[in-house]
Amino acid sequence: PSLAPAVALAARLERAGDNAGAAQALAFASQLRKLPADEWALARLAARELQEAGSTGLAREVWENLLATPELPIELRTAWMEEAR
């Protein structure tokens, strides 16, 4: 699975009213423990989509994994911590 197409699919499903499908498309994101820098923004979008789809537990796991990334700049960590609440 890849985050980019999963985020796009989830957004499309959510717009169509299929919140369960949107959450299912992104469920694997909660298992990604190490995120390369080019996927940080995608992980953020995945967490937000999961929140909007009502899957707060999965969203929390994505946020935790993202915010635990040691290389994540403090500016992003600070801004995204606010979103994760």
Side-chain angles (χ1 to χ4, degrees):
S2 176
L3 275 176
V7 168
L9 175 61
R12 192 174 300 164
L13 290 169
E14 189 175 335
R15 283 192 302 272
D18 185 0
N19 287 341
Q24 185 177 9
L26 292 170
F28 78 95
S30 67
Q31 302 303 312
L32 301 175
R33 303 286 182 240
K34 295 191 184 262
L35 294 160
D38 63 349
E39 291 191 352
W40 295 344
L42 290 170
R44 172 184 171 250
L45 290 175
R48 292 176 66 177
E49 287 289 337
L50 284 164
Q51 286 173 320
E52 291 173 17
S55 294
T56 55
L58 291 174
R60 183 176 50 251
E61 289 180 42
V62 175
W63 281 120
E64 287 173 358
N65 293 336
L66 177 59
L67 295 172
T69 303
E71 301 84 10
L72 190 67
I74 190 69
E75 297 84 5
L76 292 178
R77 187 180 320 278
T78 302
W80 290 353
M81 282 178 74
E82 291 296 319
E83 288 183 36
R85 292 179 189 206

